[in-house]
Amino acid sequence: MDRRELAAFLRSRRERISPADVGLPSGPRRRTPGLRREEAAQLAFISTEYYARLEQARAPRPSREVLAGLARALRLSDAERQHLHHLAGAPPGPPPGPSREVRQSILDLLQRLPNAAAIVTSATFEVIAWNALAAALMEDFSALPPRDRNLVRRVFLGPHRQGRRLYGVSDAKAFARSSARQLRATAARYPDDPEVAQLVGELLSGSEEFARLWASHDVCAEPTLCKTFQHPLVGPVTVNCDALDITDRDQRVIIYTATPGSPSEEALRLLSVIGTQRMDVPG
């Protein structure tokens, strides 16, 4: 275990994360960049005293559970997670939870689809990347904390503004059924991840519909080939829905395209101009 390098690495990763990145208020009295030590400790589910000792190179070797919590709290990439384990003298095992790191080639792909709305979702249905047209069609995800970008939480727990469930999509019930089935499979793949367990617990306690679907123990998802968004500015937008799996990251690229020459194609063109500047009625 290289205590000095581990301490420096943890400090550098903590200082690069803004409170907003993890859904915390910035506050007016922050004198140092990034998260405070107590905030990083809370997110990693360890004591502040122990975390401080890690950054001071005075702590004993952390367990794999602690390392998993640190990697999650500090939003480490796969390469950084492996580096963390090697510094701690504990070779890394499989990822403890769903990855949020999106490959640069996938991010570039989203931006090269100007006529299509595209998002990337994690294994827990968190929207972790998107292009400008997706933000205009659905909502400005950059204005939301990460927990509010979760589509399965949104469809079951809301908010359902103006009575529109999940952006007014025509297949909201089918998506709810399919997402519950896929989330059960995700929970089986990541049985030790506290964020997955917390999400499932929140949905079970907050939605009778989800609890009923969860109790069925179904894991087979239903493909969606077409759906209609009820958009507050341009009206109904019917799109084809294609999903591409990124198997090594357990992620999915979802691409929404309109039929050429259709009114929905014109609506998407209009949204590409409007963008999110007038999105004052998010769905």
Side-chain angles (χ1 to χ4, degrees):
M1 176 179 174
D2 191 333
R3 287 182 171 82
R4 290 186 179 276
E5 283 296 319
L6 176 61
F9 182 65
L10 290 176
R11 185 165 54 254
S12 70
R13 300 305 90 176
R14 173 174 60 83
E15 290 177 349
R16 74 175 181 177
I17 301 176
S18 71
D21 290 337
V22 292
L24 295 174
S26 297
R29 298 183 178 179
R30 290 184 179 267
R31 293 173 293 182
T32 57
L35 298 177
R36 298 187 176 104
R37 282 178 174 174
E38 58 267 27
E39 292 169 337
Q42 181 180 9
L43 292 169
F45 298 101
I46 61 178
S47 71
T48 300
E49 179 184 0
Y50 181 60
Y51 182 84
R53 292 177 66 191
L54 283 170
E55 283 202 5
Q56 294 165 355
R58 297 190 300 110
R61 176 181 293 174
S63 67
R64 288 186 178 273
E65 291 75 17
V66 168
L67 292 173
L70 290 169
R72 183 178 56 254
L74 300 177
R75 302 175 74 86
L76 301 187
S77 68
D78 291 344
E80 290 170 333
R81 185 180 67 86
Q82 292 184 28
H83 184 59
L84 173 70
H85 275 262
H86 287 302
L87 291 177
S99 174
R100 288 189 175 94
E101 183 188 13
V102 182
R103 280 202 301 268
Q104 186 60 47
S105 60
I106 299 297
L107 296 175
D108 293 340
L109 172 65
L110 299 189
Q111 304 311 316
R112 291 169 181 162
L113 298 171
N115 299 320
I119 61 175
V120 180
T121 58
S122 71
T124 57
F125 291 90
E126 180 183 331
V127 178
I128 52 179
W130 57 90
N131 64 8
L133 189 51
L137 177 65
M138 301 169 75
E139 69 178 317
D140 185 2
F141 296 106
S142 66
L144 301 175
R147 64 166 278 112
D148 291 342
R149 300 173 192 162
N150 190 288
L151 298 181
V152 68
R153 180 183 281 115
R154 185 65 172 266
V155 74
F156 285 107
L157 303 180
H160 306 314
R161 296 187 175 94
Q162 296 183 339
R164 295 183 298 118
R165 189 181 189 189
L166 195 65
Y167 317 111
V169 293
S170 56
D171 68 330
K173 287 187 178 180
F175 175 81
R177 185 167 55 248
S178 179
S179 64
R181 293 173 176 180
Q182 292 183 63
L183 188 59
R184 177 171 279 285
T186 295
R189 291 197 300 277
Y190 304 102
D192 300 323
D193 184 62
E195 289 190 12
V196 174
Q198 181 179 358
L199 175 61
V200 172
E202 184 180 344
L203 292 167
L204 285 171
S205 62
S207 170
E208 293 182 2
E209 178 186 11
F210 180 83
R212 184 173 63 255
L213 292 168
W214 190 259
S216 71
H217 290 268
D218 291 333
V219 293
C220 183
E222 305 168 8
T224 299
L225 302 180
C226 183
K227 67 175 63 185
T228 299
F229 289 85
Q230 293 295 334
H231 195 276
L233 296 179
V234 301
V237 183
T238 300
V239 292
N240 301 309
C241 180
D242 293 289
L244 309 175
D245 289 328
I246 309 174
T247 54
D248 63 314
R249 301 290 174 90
D250 204 0
Q251 297 168 358
R252 178 170 288 190
V253 181
I254 304 173
I255 304 173
Y256 303 111
T257 56
T259 300
S262 67
S264 291
E265 184 183 41
E266 291 300 318
L268 285 181
R269 285 202 183 102
L270 178 57
L271 283 176
S272 69
V273 175
I274 295 174
T276 59
Q277 59 183 332
R278 292 179 54 195
M279 295 296 288
D280 55 351
V281 191

